[in-house]
Amino acid sequence: MSSRANEQIEAKLIDTDIIDFGQYWTTVKRYLWRILGLALLLTILVTLVVLSMTPRYIATASLLIEAEQANVLSIEEVYGLDSSRKEYFETQYEILRSRHIAEKVVNELKLYENPLYNLDVINANEDGMSSYIKSAQNFVRTSLPFLPQQDEVVKSEEELLAERKSYAVSQLMEYITISPLRNTQVVNISFESADAKLSALVANTLSDVYIENYLESKLDMTAKATTWLNESLQGLRTKLDVAEKNLSDFYEREQLVDIDGVVGLASEQLQQLSDQLIDAQVLLQRNKTIYEQINQSGADFALLSSLPEVLNHPSIQNIKREEVVAESRVSELKEVYGPKHPNMIAAIAELTSIRNSIRNQITVLMSGITTEYRTAQNKVAALKKDVEAAKSEFRKLSSLENQRKALQRDVDTNQQLYNSFFTRLKETDQLGGFESANARILDSATPPSNPAKPKKGLIIAAAFVLSLGLGVFLALSLEALNSGIRSVDDVERKLGQRMLGIIPWQAHKRNQNLPLRHFFDNSHHMFSEAVRTLRTSLQLLNLDKPSQTVLVTSSVPREGKSTVSINLAFAMGQLSKVLLLDTDLRRPTLAKQFDLPGFQPGLSNLIAGTHTLEECIVTDEKSGIDLICAGSSPPNPQELLASEQFTLLMAKLKTQYEHIIVDSAPTQAVSDAVIVSKLCDSVVYVVRSDSTSFKIINNGLSRFMQIGHRVDGVVLNQVDLKKAKKTGEYSGYYDQYGYNSYPSESQKS
């Protein structure tokens, strides 16, 4: 096998996580007829069930629910409904689904008398299984007295009628479907029934009952609203009369005419007095300051005359100007005349007179300031009294005003409520004679011509498809649960080994081995060619160092390892000198297959030294190969195979033969094959197709790995190529040679 092939196998072994759809398809092809058979059987069963089902019809009516009702008056507050909101439509859908509407439909159509919904008829027509179950329940209950017993209850005619109606209502609600159309105000009302005409009748009746129920509810609400408004109006009238009387008594008791004007005048008067008081207080404060300064200065006229209040007084200012003029004149005359000059004397006398006048004026002014201060004090005190009196009067008037406003507010509130309720009462009375439905029928339901259920064709097709899917699932499940090796891919994927060859299944009698000379029978050339292919694979396996000794083993008995060993020796014997050596000292088979006598010495005799090599070698005349059988059964076969004598024997045999084919014991039973493999160049592992678990095989292969001896490959034995041809698992192994005749019986070795 080339290095490129080895790389491909290793790559395939490493990449085990890739989903192999080709493998799945191969599995499906292998189970194809069983899958089709299962699908056909299940489809036939479903078809029989579907054909026995009662056809059911669905009729649909379309209803338009108005978003804006035709209200002639503003009465929305009476009902409390907002028809523009989404919740309004959801509420209407639930009303359509309600039991109240269903009961009205049942009563109007008397569905409880219809055989399809009559409880008595349905109980009488119960199938045998239901009757049997009920009988069994009654029998168990009567047979086991410790169980809760139900006393038989005799129902009256009214109770039986109510029970039948309840059953009919439940059935109606179960098969009614309310389907709003998205982004519209249209809702479809569908009813499913075994009677086509009845399905249309129920759908239309449900639409009519819904509209009538809305109108009845509306009229009932109007009547209740009118009654409530009348009762409320009487109470409001009484409250209004009491409020008006309280207001009138208040005016009489307080002798009021226009309290708003009186309060306004009192407020203005209080404001004026407050302003006057503020002015008087300011004046008093100023006079108080001057008064205190005068008292502090005493009789010092020079100091008094320097006070700003004195200097700023008009009379003092006039006399001061005259004093300045007189002083200026005296000063001028002093420059001209002497002190005794008449003009000088007159000028001095005038200045003295003016100064005396100033003193007199200041004295008078001081006396006036004191008087003004006393007067300002009295005025402030009087104004304070007036302000307090005005405040008291204003508070009294304000209290009266607040009482009046409270009484007036009570009157106004009761008047508004009375007017509002009176208006609503009139509106309700007017609305009582106006019936406006909130919905109308767009399309009435018509009896359907074809049943809606069951969709027989669709159900049968779906059953067939699902059956196929179930069959494929079961096939894949069986394949996943199958632990055997049946293809080249299984050898490489599950075992991690290369495929050396395939030995096809051959026809032979049950419980008998394959004929010894089967390899040389020209009528079974495909078997012969398979063995030659195995021989070629071994020769090409190690071109640099050909394998001289080939160990043939398997996991468990009955896998055909001895048959492979014999026929491989026959194939090798056509090209070179070959020895077939039986190392299965526990259950030898080669001597029996070659019809050798039971006393024929063999390998155990050679190792024990009781016989010579020439005595143990048997030559097959037809094939030309030499044979050494197992010989006498020893008590310690494993010790013999592990002995130095066996090693020397193998070395001697290698010098005499070009190829030695060693038939060994199965690896799962004993470790003889592992011991013998140490003296062999190649190990060929025989696996019976679709039989031995890959876990057991891997366990056997791991024994060779543990001692560091590789297994050169796997021979898949007893392969049924006739079945494999259908799935193409071994396409390319034999068909290219034109071997198209496939055996049909099993082979055992």
Side-chain angles (χ1 to χ4, degrees):
M1 186 177 292
S2 64
S3 59
R4 180 178 179 84
N6 292 335
E7 293 176 358
Q8 292 176 349
I9 292 176
E10 292 177 0
K12 185 177 292 187
L13 293 176
I14 293 174
D15 195 7
T16 57
D17 295 335
I18 298 177
I19 298 177
D20 189 355
F21 291 101
Q23 179 68 24
Y24 293 158
W25 173 242
T26 301
T27 302
V28 171
K29 288 197 298 182
R30 182 183 301 115
Y31 291 93
L32 181 60
W33 290 110
R34 279 174 278 185
I35 293 173
L36 292 177
L38 176 64
L40 184 61
L41 175 62
L42 294 179
T43 303
I44 292 174
L45 293 177
V46 171
T47 302
L48 294 176
V49 173
V50 169
L51 293 178
S52 64
M53 295 173 65
T54 303
R56 301 190 66 84
Y57 299 87
I58 297 178
T60 302
S62 297
L63 193 68
L64 174 63
I65 299 178
E66 301 286 352
E68 298 293 337
Q69 304 175 23
N71 293 328
V72 295
L73 297 170
S74 58
I75 192 60
E76 288 83 355
E77 295 85 352
V78 176
Y79 299 109
L81 297 176
D82 185 0
S83 61
S84 63
R85 297 179 61 186
K86 179 181 178 181
E87 289 79 0
Y88 169 78
F89 293 100
E90 295 293 338
T91 303
Q92 303 309 309
Y93 303 151
E94 292 303 319
I95 292 175
L96 285 168
R97 299 186 184 101
S98 66
R99 190 176 185 86
H100 176 69
I101 298 296
E103 288 175 350
K104 287 191 173 184
V105 174
V106 169
N107 292 330
E108 183 169 339
L109 298 179
K110 295 184 177 181
L111 289 180
Y112 52 87
E113 298 179 357
N114 190 297
L116 295 175
Y117 305 99
N118 191 316
L119 184 59
D120 297 335
V121 175
I122 292 174
N123 291 333
N125 295 334
E126 280 186 346
D127 55 15
M129 182 59 68
S130 300
S131 301
Y132 176 78
I133 293 175
K134 287 186 176 180
S135 301
Q137 291 176 344
N138 294 331
F139 175 77
V140 171
R141 189 176 290 109
T142 55
S143 302
L144 302 175
F146 59 85
L147 293 177
Q149 303 294 323
Q150 294 181 353
D151 298 332
E152 185 176 356
V153 179
V154 179
K155 298 181 179 179
S156 63
E157 289 295 329
E158 291 78 8
E159 292 176 337
L160 293 175
L161 179 60
E163 188 176 356
R164 290 198 299 271
K165 287 184 177 180
S166 176
Y167 176 78
V169 169
S170 300
Q171 291 294 306
L172 178 67
M173 295 178 66
E174 181 178 356
Y175 292 103
I176 277 289
T177 303
I178 307 300
S179 305
L181 299 183
R182 189 174 182 181
N183 298 326
T184 68
Q185 298 170 210
V186 178
V187 58
N188 289 334
I189 302 174
S190 303
F191 182 70
E192 176 186 334
S193 174
D195 188 341
K197 294 182 179 179
L198 182 61
S199 63
L201 180 61
V202 170
N204 291 328
T205 304
L206 182 65
S207 303
D208 295 335
V209 166
Y210 167 73
I211 296 174
E212 293 173 1
N213 179 75
Y214 175 81
L215 295 176
E216 291 175 0
S217 301
K218 187 175 180 180
L219 291 175
D220 183 59
M221 292 172 65
T222 302
K224 290 181 179 180
T226 302
T227 302
W228 179 75
L229 287 173
N230 276 320
E231 295 175 355
S232 301
L233 201 61
Q234 295 298 328
L236 291 175
R237 178 71 264 180
T238 302
K239 290 182 179 180
L240 178 61
D241 292 341
V242 171
E244 289 177 344
K245 186 176 184 304
N246 291 336
L247 181 62
S248 176
D249 293 344
F250 173 76
Y251 275 105
E252 291 292 334
R253 184 174 61 254
E254 300 296 337
Q255 299 294 318
L256 297 176
V257 178
D258 184 10
I259 192 170
D260 291 334
V262 174
V263 172
L265 290 175
S267 176
E268 291 179 1
Q269 183 179 2
L270 178 61
Q271 183 64 36
Q272 291 176 358
L273 290 174
S274 297
D275 294 341
Q276 292 176 7
L277 176 60
I278 292 171
D279 295 339
Q281 287 176 339
V282 172
L283 179 61
L284 174 62
Q285 186 64 27
R286 185 170 60 250
N287 291 335
K288 181 179 179 181
T289 302
I290 298 173
Y291 176 76
E292 291 176 352
Q293 290 178 349
I294 292 174
N295 290 334
Q296 291 175 359
S297 300
D300 189 352
F301 287 97
L303 183 59
L304 289 175
S305 61
S306 62
L307 294 175
E309 290 76 6
V310 175
L311 294 176
N312 293 331
H313 197 275
S315 60
I316 300 300
Q317 288 179 349
N318 293 330
I319 297 174
K320 280 289 185 181
R321 284 195 292 272
E322 292 177 0
E323 182 182 12
V324 170
V325 173
E327 288 178 350
S328 176
R329 185 177 179 186
V330 170
S331 177
E332 290 177 356
L333 292 176
K334 188 182 292 185
E335 295 294 333
V336 179
Y337 302 107
K340 296 182 179 182
H341 191 277
N343 291 335
M344 188 64 181
I345 294 172
I348 292 173
E350 183 181 3
L351 177 60
T352 302
S353 175
I354 291 172
R355 289 178 175 173
N356 291 332
S357 177
I358 290 174
R359 289 177 62 87
N360 293 333
Q361 286 293 331
I362 290 174
T363 301
V364 173
L365 181 59
M366 294 300 102
S367 178
I369 288 174
T370 301
T371 302
E372 288 181 2
Y373 173 68
R374 301 299 180 190
T375 302
Q377 283 182 329
N378 295 333
K379 184 177 181 180
V380 167
L383 287 174
K384 284 184 177 180
K385 292 181 180 180
D386 293 342
V387 167
E388 290 299 327
K391 285 183 178 180
S392 177
E393 182 67 17
F394 182 76
R395 282 194 295 269
K396 179 180 178 181
L397 292 175
S398 297
S399 176
L400 294 175
E401 172 66 8
N402 291 334
Q403 294 181 26
R404 185 198 68 81
K405 286 183 178 180
L407 294 172
Q408 186 64 46
R409 185 166 53 250
D410 192 21
V411 171
D412 294 340
T413 301
N414 286 286
Q415 185 68 50
Q416 290 176 1
L417 287 174
Y418 180 80
N419 294 338
S420 176
F421 272 66
F422 186 77
T423 303
R424 293 296 182 268
L425 178 61
K426 294 300 181 182
E427 291 179 355
T428 306
D429 290 339
Q430 293 296 326
L431 191 61
F434 182 78
E435 298 181 0
S436 174
N438 70 326
R440 57 188 176 89
I441 298 176
L442 285 182
D443 294 316
S444 299
T446 57
S449 57
N450 297 319
K453 296 180 180 179
K455 302 286 187 181
K456 298 180 179 179
L458 180 61
I459 294 176
I460 293 173
F464 181 73
V465 173
L466 293 177
S467 300
L468 285 178
L470 177 62
V472 171
F473 172 76
L474 293 177
L476 295 177
S477 299
L478 291 175
E479 182 68 16
L481 296 174
N482 179 31
S483 60
I485 304 299
R486 59 168 48 148
S487 65
V488 179
D489 183 68
D490 287 347
V491 172
E492 297 175 349
R493 180 167 50 87
K494 295 182 180 181
L495 304 181
Q497 299 293 329
R498 61 172 56 84
M499 175 74 80
L500 291 178
I502 294 174
I503 307 300
W505 222 330
Q506 297 297 295
H508 64 288
K509 294 182 180 180
R510 186 179 298 274
N511 297 326
Q512 291 185 6
N513 293 324
L514 197 66
L516 181 63
R517 311 297 175 182
H518 195 76
F519 176 78
F520 300 103
D521 190 347
N522 292 330
S523 62
H524 301 288
H525 48 269
M526 185 173 59
F527 176 80
S528 304
E529 186 61 32
V531 178
R532 293 188 183 96
T533 302
L534 173 59
R535 177 191 65 188
T536 304
S537 298
L538 287 172
Q539 290 174 341
L540 297 177
L541 185 62
N542 298 306
L543 292 177
D544 298 336
K545 185 181 179 181
S547 300
Q548 186 178 6
T549 55
V550 179
L551 174 69
V552 180
T553 186
S554 63
S555 299
V556 293
R558 309 294 294 173
E559 290 199 83
K561 63 175 181 57
S562 298
T563 300
V564 173
S565 301
I566 294 170
N567 288 279
L568 179 59
F570 288 161
M572 289 286 191
Q574 293 179 339
L575 301 178
S576 59
K577 187 177 181 180
V578 175
L579 172 66
L580 178 59
L581 178 62
D582 190 355
T583 60
D584 189 356
L585 303 182
R586 303 173 190 271
R587 297 181 61 183
T589 59
L590 295 185
K592 182 179 179 181
Q593 294 200 33
F594 280 90
D595 293 328
L596 297 179
F599 55 84
Q600 173 66 39
L603 180 61
S604 61
N605 304 99
L606 281 173
I607 298 174
T610 59
H611 292 75
T612 62
L613 181 61
E614 289 74 14
E615 291 175 335
C616 295
I617 293 178
V618 178
T619 302
D620 183 56
E621 297 297 337
K622 185 172 183 179
S623 63
I625 67 171
D626 291 341
L627 167 68
I628 297 178
C629 62
S632 303
S633 298
N636 54 347
Q638 195 169 100
E639 286 77 1
L640 292 179
L641 295 175
S643 65
E644 183 67 23
Q645 290 81 358
F646 179 66
T647 303
L648 295 175
L649 175 62
M650 288 297 295
K652 182 178 179 180
L653 292 175
K654 288 181 181 181
T655 61
Q656 297 180 13
Y657 294 94
E658 296 183 29
H659 292 94
I660 300 174
I661 307 301
V662 181
D663 183 17
S664 179
T667 60
Q668 198 66 22
V670 292
S671 302
D672 295 358
V674 178
I675 295 174
V676 176
S677 67
K678 297 178 181 180
L679 304 176
C680 298
D681 301 325
S682 297
V683 176
V684 175
Y685 209 91
V686 178
V687 175
R688 183 177 177 181
S689 177
D690 203 11
S691 176
T692 310
S693 171
F694 74 92
K695 294 182 179 179
I696 296 177
I697 300 172
N698 280 323
N699 187 31
L701 293 171
S702 65
R703 296 192 176 190
F704 294 100
M705 301 289 186
Q706 291 172 359
I707 65 171
H709 199 301
R710 71 169 188 174
V711 177
D712 293 282
V714 171
V715 175
L716 199 57
N717 191 28
Q718 303 180 29
V719 177
D720 190 346
L721 293 179
K722 186 176 182 180
K723 294 181 180 178
K725 179 184 177 182
K726 300 176 182 178
T727 59
E729 289 178 345
Y730 305 106
S731 177
Y733 270 83
Y734 301 104
D735 54 358
Q736 62 182 342
Y737 299 105
Y739 303 130
N740 296 319
S741 61
Y742 296 96
S744 59
E745 297 184 7
S746 64
Q747 168 196 356
K748 287 185 179 180
S749 173

